Amino acid sequence: MNISERLLAIANLIHPGSNVIDVGADHGLLEKYLIESGKVESIFAVENKKGPFEILKNNLKDYDVNISLSDGLDEMPPETNVIVLAGMGGNLILDILKKDVNKLNGIEQIVVDAHRDAELVRREIIKLGYRIEKEKIVVENKIYYFIISFVKGKSAYKDVELEWGYNVSNDPLFREFKMKELRRLVNTLAHQKQAKKSKPECIERIQSKIERLENL
Ligand SMILES: C[S@@+](CC[C@H](N)C(=O)[O-])C[C@H]1O[C@@H](n2cnc3c(N)ncnc32)[C@H](O)[C@@H]1O
């Protein structure tokens, strides 16, 4: 089965033989791929909205996947040891995890594809007792996605690794991302400088962000 580079990167990071919960499963393509490839022991697909849930139910009717119309980790089966949270903003991902932080005891791996606020996600999931195992960049339709696998444990990080990605700076895709992001930040800085009510602390913040990225 063919799936997008992004979903494939998520699937590849999931530990083989796991019992997975996929929160926000939507189209169910990740579920189809994981079942067809035989990579996981089980997968529990969750949607909290009726419309996407009906699509999910229909798309997975021929697959051995338990699906649930519920919120976040509310109905998580006890055997679950991997959580997937993909295609959502960082704040939503963190809200879902923090609402049920008491359910994370048996969770060995959290695979995240945050479409915004990846830095915040890295910083906050680490505080929940996880370390970054691996990070993979994929690009689709000119958008760069940072897919992150967290596992239980502790590690020390440089600030730039949490800000821009862990162990990714030698990846050719990171070089591309860096050029694009630098152009964006330089434009933002120029606009800030021209703005009537420009704030010095804001200009300083963007300038130092540019410097840190240039030095990577
Ligand atoms: C943009 S889709 C991403 C689909 C898929 N995970 C992917 O990466 O392609 C995000 C989905 O998350 C669902 N969602 C958002 N908050 C949720 C929550 N608290 N519990 C379950 N599903 C949620 C939305 O209804 C939506 O279908």
Side-chain angles (χ1 to χ4, degrees):
M1 175 191 166
N2 282 333
I3 51 170
S4 70
E5 287 265 320
R6 182 181 64 85
L7 290 174
L8 185 61
I10 295 168
N12 284 342
L13 284 174
I14 294 172
H15 296 166
S18 306
N19 294 299
V20 180
I21 184 170
D22 179 21
V23 180
D26 197 6
H27 38 66
L29 290 173
L30 181 66
E31 284 60 24
K32 284 188 180 182
Y33 179 82
L34 288 173
I35 293 294
E36 285 183 14
S37 63
K39 181 164 186 180
V40 297
E41 180 71 23
S42 70
I43 178 152
F44 187 76
V46 178
E47 256 300 329
N48 71 343
K49 291 174 200 75
K50 197 94 177 77
F53 176 75
E54 289 305 325
I55 296 168
L56 182 67
K57 194 160 87 177
N58 191 46
N59 288 354
L60 295 180
K61 63 179 184 302
D62 299 326
Y63 287 77
D64 183 18
V65 174
N66 287 315
I67 57 168
S68 168
L69 175 61
S70 55
D71 191 73
L73 306 178
D74 280 3
E75 304 290 322
M76 187 174 88
E79 69 276 14
T80 306
N81 56 2
V82 174
I83 297 175
V84 175
L85 291 149
M88 301 176 200
N91 277 307
L92 177 57
I93 287 174
L94 293 171
D95 285 349
I96 291 170
L97 289 173
K98 287 181 180 180
K99 182 181 150 216
D100 279 305
V101 81
N102 57 323
K103 293 188 178 172
L104 297 182
N105 274 348
I107 302 301
E108 292 153 23
Q109 183 188 28
I110 304 175
V111 179
V112 165
D113 162 30
H115 288 183
R116 274 182 305 282
D117 302 316
E119 177 182 358
L120 182 70
V121 164
R122 290 185 194 97
R123 291 188 188 280
E124 292 299 309
I125 295 185
I126 281 165
K127 286 187 201 156
L128 298 177
Y130 291 83
R131 64 177 176 83
I132 302 173
E133 178 191 36
K134 200 172 177 189
E135 212 165 316
K136 169 93 182 133
I137 307 175
V138 291
V139 60
E140 267 178 22
N141 303 323
K142 299 185 183 164
I143 300 172
Y144 293 81
Y145 298 100
F146 288 65
I147 322 281
I148 313 170
S149 165
F150 295 88
V151 291
K152 276 248 161 43
K154 266 190 173 188
S155 192
Y157 297 96
K158 294 182 199 145
D159 251 7
V160 285
E161 292 175 323
L162 299 177
E163 186 176 19
W164 296 110
Y166 175 69
N167 248 341
V168 289
S169 57
N170 290 326
D171 184 330
L173 284 181
F174 185 79
R175 315 314 296 171
E176 282 177 24
F177 163 80
K178 174 177 163 175
M179 290 306 145
K180 194 175 167 191
E181 186 63 9
L182 279 172
R183 279 196 297 274
R184 190 186 70 77
L185 287 168
V186 167
N187 274 337
T188 312
L189 183 63
H191 280 116
Q192 266 300 322
K193 283 181 172 169
Q194 282 162 9
K196 279 192 186 129
K197 289 182 182 165
S198 74
K199 293 187 185 136
E201 66 274 17
C202 190
I203 290 176
E204 218 171 280
R205 192 173 47 77
I206 302 168
Q207 259 162 351
S208 67
K209 205 170 171 68
I210 290 174
E211 270 167 39
R212 290 194 300 276
L213 185 55
E214 273 174 339
N215 287 332
L216 275 177

